[in-house]
Amino acid sequence: MATAEIELDAGASAHPSTLARFYREHERSIIGGGTLLAVLLIWEGVARSGLVDPLFLSSPIQIVKAGIDLFEGGEIWTHIQVSGSEFLLGYALSVAIGIPLGLATGWYRRLSYLLGPFIDALNAVPRLTLMPIIVIWFGIGIWSKAVVAFLGAVLPILIATNSGVRTSEARYLQVARSFSASELKIFTSIILPGTVPFIFTGLKYGIGRALLGVVVGELYAATAGLGYMIGEAGDTFQTSVVFFGVLIFTATGLVSVGVLDALERRFETWRPKAGAAS
Amino acid sequence: MSTQTVIGEGHVERPPPLVRWYAEHRRAVFGTLVAILFLLFWEGLSRGWWADALRPLIGHAADPLLVPPIFISSPSRIAAEAWRMFVVTREIWSDLRFSAMEYALGLGAAIAVGMPLGLASGWYRRLSYAVGPFLAGFNATPQVALLPLIIIWVGFGLAAKILIIFALAVLPIAISAQSAVRTTDARLLKVAHSFGAGEWHLFRTIILPSAVPFLLAGLRLAVGRAMIGIVVGEIFGSAVGVGAMINRSGSRFETDKVFVGVLVIAAAGMLLAELVHQIERRVEAWRPSV
């Protein structure tokens, strides 16, 4: 950082023009957007020049066209619906189980002794390797993917929540206890607010894990879904369709994390900011 | 801690050694006990112990407690299968060798690309602006979805496996390297600057040493993520490899073999994570502890 500042100062005179000021204020977006645009242009150019087989590379315009075709064909809605329900089912389940269980294991020491070995063991196993067994158990329908998504997302959520409870400020607890606050009161007014940032960290991490589970599940064994669509398109060398499917997943991940960020800000507005008052 | 009060009725000073030993290792004792009970329960499910025991009481309602081993296998069957695959037929070793090779190459490539990229984008602000959108997008994508593309590009062979492991492992490494540079103590940098240290000197003596814990933490994450690549990369058109073995056995309903494969991958993952952890401790030994 320090070096960049020095560089800038050397160039800028005492009265920077408005254009330079605008650039300096939006430097991040300008450089980021510019690079993105440049890459897309080069990609399109290379694809059009015929240097590389379009079968391998596709091109930004072809990908957009493929996307429009997919939506006009209407078939993609089924895939979105299937993948969406798998993702939502698995993620909702992992939230519904991960947060309460994380709170409980953080709060009750004995419970954490009881469940700790299972949580640690399950955490050590890459859960996606269980895919074949889960397919044996739940078939190739929606539920096997929902379970894989659940298994992927539940542990980060549970573990983050658990460590949130355990790192509660000990001084607050002591103060509350010396004023003989009830356990319930302590839990709702100290533990829970202190745990919220941890829960959100777990939730955000869980999104990626759940999406990964859905994709792997659908690549492995499925009859519908975006992962299935990508796999099929790959087999038939429809590179543009593959790219478009991947982009849908990217967008889903970005939007979900964005929503969680917004929610987190909502929850955190009451918290006094750390650091200097100004 | 609170056991002190429970066992300390009367003589707080010296609880008997056995009790003391229990109090010190309670977590481990409890954990082992729970694990053993779980294994027994599992074994009993597939052998019908529980169904047999309860049938006189609740009749056919006990039948669901007998689960065919094709669904859940059992600890003894898994152990026997592992013995067979490792010692008797030795069939798993070629799979292990192949998977280990793709893993090492993929992770090695991820380190070779991710670390310099992360360090550079942490150091040069404009570079980080330029690669920011790509990192964010790539991070939000389940990288496994790239598998069909990778197969179109390089085919089904070893290269596809290496690339998918690379794709899974490179981001944790790059992102932790980037934040490592960003969180370097600014005061140290200022001091070095004012004594006229060059960029390279700064990098070597301040940035790099303070980045090491982050780099290793990122590596520990990547080690786990790359394990996923072994299984996923071998879903399609692979004849050898632990992941391929798992997939093949799953589609033949050979549940015992699937579990052996899962356990092998889990064990390898834990071993590698522990290895990184040991390196972390070794490297951090010089640092004065706070």
Side-chain angles (χ1 to χ4, degrees), chain A residues 1-8 23 27-29 31-33 35-37 39 55-57 109-110 112-118 120-121 124-133 136-137 166 205 208-209 211-213 215-216 219-220 227 230-231 233-239 242-243 245-247 249-254 257, chain B residues 1-3 6 26-27 30-32 34-35 38 70-72 122-131 133-134 136-138 140-149 151-154 156 168 182 189 193 199 202 221 224-225 227-228 231-232 235-236 246-251 253-255 258-259 262-263 265-267 269-270:
Chain A
M1 257 186 256
T3 47
E5 241 162 71
I6 292 168
E7 256 172 57
L8 263 183
Y23 172 77
E27 192 180 20
R28 175 189 286 269
S29 341
I31 294 184
T35 316
L36 195 61
L37 204 65
V39 167
L55 207 59
F56 286 96
L57 208 56
R109 203 164 30 104
R110 298 255 157 78
S112 84
Y113 288 157
L114 187 70
L115 294 179
F118 295 111
D120 291 343
V125 178
R127 271 91 61 198
L128 288 176
T129 57
L130 294 169
M131 193 70 226
I133 294 176
I136 294 178
W137 288 346
R166 287 215 250 155
Y205 201 66
R209 289 315 185 87
L211 277 179
L212 199 62
V215 177
V216 174
L219 285 175
Y220 183 75
I230 294 177
D235 288 345
T236 49
F237 287 96
Q238 295 172 275
T239 316
V242 180
F243 267 115
V246 173
L247 283 178
F249 278 113
T250 308
T252 312
L254 286 174
V257 172
Chain B
M1 269 168 261
S2 63
T3 41
V6 180
R26 195 167 32 164
R27 217 194 148 90
F30 220 84
T32 319
V34 170
F38 175 73
I70 198 173
F71 284 111
I72 58 166
W123 188 236
Y124 300 106
R125 199 166 40 107
R126 292 196 180 132
L127 181 66
S128 86
Y129 292 161
V131 296
F134 297 96
F138 196 51
T141 314
Q143 291 92 18
V144 172
L146 298 171
L147 188 60
L149 273 181
I151 290 175
I152 291 179
W153 289 336
V154 298
F156 287 112
L168 280 162
R182 291 241 181 102
L189 290 178
H193 262 304
E199 291 235 332
L202 274 183
L221 262 179
R225 306 221 65 193
M227 280 290 161
I228 297 174
V231 179
V232 175
I235 286 182
F236 296 118
I246 291 178
N247 295 323
R248 203 170 47 237
S249 310
S251 56
F253 291 89
E254 294 171 326
T255 321
V258 176
F259 272 112
V262 170
L263 289 177
I265 288 185
M270 279 192 276

Side-chain angles (χ1 to χ4, degrees), chain A residues 4-229:
Chain A
E5 241 162 71
I6 292 168
E7 256 172 57
L8 263 183
D9 287 347
S13 55
H15 299 286
S17 67
T18 39
L19 196 67
R21 206 147 17 104
F22 176 82
Y23 172 77
R24 223 195 273 184
E25 273 162 23
H26 301 273
E27 192 180 20
R28 175 189 286 269
S29 341
I30 292 171
I31 294 184
T35 316
L36 195 61
L37 204 65
V39 167
L40 289 178
L41 280 175
I42 293 172
W43 186 359
E44 187 69 40
V46 170
R48 282 179 185 241
S49 73
L51 285 173
V52 185
D53 191 340
L55 207 59
F56 286 96
L57 208 56
S58 185
S59 84
I61 288 176
Q62 277 180 18
I63 293 170
V64 173
K65 272 190 194 150
I68 293 171
D69 285 350
L70 281 172
F71 278 104
E72 277 180 350
E75 195 188 338
I76 197 175
W77 290 111
T78 332
H79 296 311
I80 290 178
Q81 207 185 341
V82 168
S83 294
S85 18
E86 288 161 359
F87 173 69
L88 288 179
L89 272 174
Y91 192 67
L93 212 60
S94 61
V95 172
I97 291 179
I99 293 180
L101 211 57
L103 290 173
T105 51
W107 190 236
Y108 299 107
R109 203 164 30 104
R110 298 255 157 78
L111 189 67
S112 84
Y113 288 157
L114 187 70
L115 294 179
F118 295 111
I119 295 171
D120 291 343
L122 206 58
N123 196 30
V125 178
R127 271 91 61 198
L128 288 176
T129 57
L130 294 169
M131 193 70 226
I133 294 176
I134 289 165
V135 169
I136 294 178
W137 288 346
F138 295 94
I140 62 168
I142 284 182
W143 279 102
S144 55
K145 285 78 171 183
V147 168
V148 176
F150 163 77
L151 280 178
V154 70
L155 281 174
I157 296 175
L158 195 162
I159 290 171
T161 311
N162 174 287
S163 57
V165 176
R166 287 215 250 155
T167 51
S168 299
E169 191 76 61
R171 281 172 308 166
Y172 296 166
L173 293 179
Q174 277 162 11
V175 171
R177 290 233 164 86
S178 31
F179 282 96
S180 65
S182 70
E183 292 286 286
L184 184 70
K185 181 86 190 160
I186 292 181
F187 188 78
T188 52
S189 60
I190 298 177
I191 306 283
L192 218 47
T195 311
V196 166
F198 288 84
I199 293 180
F200 271 104
T201 309
L203 287 178
K204 278 182 238 169
Y205 201 66
I207 291 223
R209 289 315 185 87
L211 277 179
L212 199 62
V214 168
V215 177
V216 174
E218 289 182 348
L219 285 175
Y220 183 75
T223 50
L226 289 170
Y228 171 78
M229 182 190 87

Side-chain angles (χ1 to χ4, degrees), chain B residues 191-270:
Chain B
V191 171
H193 262 304
S194 31
F195 281 96
E199 291 235 332
W200 172 240
H201 199 76
L202 274 183
F203 185 77
R204 216 167 36 88
T205 56
I206 298 177
I207 309 275
L208 216 48
S210 73
V212 167
F214 288 86
L215 294 178
L216 287 171
L219 186 62
R220 201 142 37 94
L221 262 179
V223 158
R225 306 221 65 193
M227 280 290 161
I228 297 174
I230 291 185
V231 179
V232 175
E234 293 174 6
I235 286 182
F236 296 118
S238 199
V240 270
V242 179
M245 187 273 284
I246 291 178
N247 295 323
R248 203 170 47 237
S249 310
S251 56
R252 291 181 191 158
F253 291 89
E254 294 171 326
T255 321
D256 313 336
K257 276 183 148 185
V258 176
F259 272 112
V260 172
V262 170
L263 289 177
V264 164
I265 288 185
M270 279 192 276

Side-chain angles (χ1 to χ4, degrees), chain B residues 150-164:
Chain B
I150 292 176
I151 290 175
I152 291 179
W153 289 336
V154 298
F156 287 112
L158 180 64
K161 279 89 184 159
I162 295 174
L163 272 178
I164 196 76

